[in-house]
Amino acid sequence: MSAQDAAEDTEGPKKLPAGLAAHPSVRAVRAARSAGDRSAPPPVIDADRLRALCLEAGADDAAAVSLDHPDLAGEREHVLAALPGTRSLVSLMVRMNRDSMRSPARSVGNQEFHQTDEQVNAAARKVARALGDAGYRALNPSAGFPQEMERFPGRIWVVAHKTVAVAAGLGVMGLHRNVIHPRFGNFVLLATVLVDAPVSAYGQELDYSPCVDCKLCVAACPVGAIGKDGSFDARACTTHNYREFMSGFNDWVQTVADSEDAADFRSRVTDPENASMWQSLAFKPSYKSGYCLAVCPAGEDVLGPYLDDRRAYLDTVLRPLQDKTETLYVLPGSQAQRYAERRFPHKPTKEVSGGWRPPARADAETPDGH
């Protein structure tokens, strides 16, 4: 580039410093633009092509929803913080193997959880990359943990995948707080892709619930977190099911810190509990239950055996989980503790803090020692 050319590139409404204008990459981009190759993507994403892209990426179902959907009002601020200019959200769904999720051996169910989680994250990443290659701005927040821990104990997730999936018409929230897909039931995991363009057609919310009102999720929950009346005790669920996720790990660490010595620690935490915590830390966190998901018969691909012989379904799906001898983690004096001891006397309960920060002592000294 001659000095005159460089000087000309520094003039006009988008003038650049002479050094930047002379850079080979800058020259290549400007030359392409001058030739008319601006590679602008279509202003509206074709819905059919988008869905085909999602399925090709590994999703079993997918649909888009506008960020302006009224049910996403609570997500708007967080979505725009993650990707300014977001116009649409694409909900992706990957199904799980049902019999693996129903196994009383939690290692089998956990393997299925984590394998599917990896698949749905990979599918969302492929979609986001393809949209980016096409000229759109797109990103895919994590389908699960880890999330934005600096926000803890507030909202640590970027986008609420279940809320998006329901608004996009992929399912309805069940009594157990899992999204039930009309075909695959609740044996699914979800991810979301944010994109800065509208889509030609958005998914329509289901006009019915796939839930068949069997209440098996109520019967399966070992700590009574799911009420027949539609109530849900999130803390009871978290304390037990997520025992080896963040909250339970905090409780375990507090136990280590509070113990006088190794013997005292071993009197508080059993060898199997330590081994299980090590396994979760070394590999991936283990869910202690998930039985509500395991027993749910909803969904056209799932419902047949329940309709054919409900007694056999109870005997082969529900009762092995109810009969399993296992430790149930509960908060002291909680409704979950009373429920577990009454309903499942063969399952020993263990009082834990759940990792929640204990209240400050009334007699605690102030920072200046007074």
Side-chain angles (χ1 to χ4, degrees), residues 248-319:
F249 171 75
N250 286 342
D251 179 76
W252 181 79
V253 169
Q254 289 169 14
T255 303
V256 173
D258 290 343
S259 299
E260 295 180 0
D261 52 30
D264 184 32
F265 176 72
R266 287 183 177 276
S267 72
R268 302 183 187 210
V269 183
T270 67
D271 287 345
E273 286 177 312
N274 273 326
S276 186
M277 182 63 76
W278 166 81
Q279 181 170 263
S280 286
L281 293 174
F283 297 96
K284 289 186 177 180
S286 296
Y287 298 86
K288 289 298 182 184
S289 183
Y291 297 164
C292 57
L293 185 153
V295 302
C296 182
E300 294 171 12
D301 283 1
V302 187
L303 191 56
Y306 178 77
L307 297 178
D308 294 340
D309 192 334
R310 282 182 287 174
R311 180 175 295 276
Y313 188 91
L314 298 181
D315 289 341
T316 59
V317 177
L318 174 65
R319 294 211 168 90

Side-chain angles (χ1 to χ4, degrees), residues 65-77 79 88-89 159-160 162-168:
V65 60
S66 171
L67 183 58
D68 293 330
H69 191 290
D71 290 351
L72 299 183
E75 296 298 304
R76 185 177 182 84
E77 172 188 354
V79 166
S88 303
L89 298 91
V159 62
K162 293 181 181 180
T163 302
V164 174
V166 172

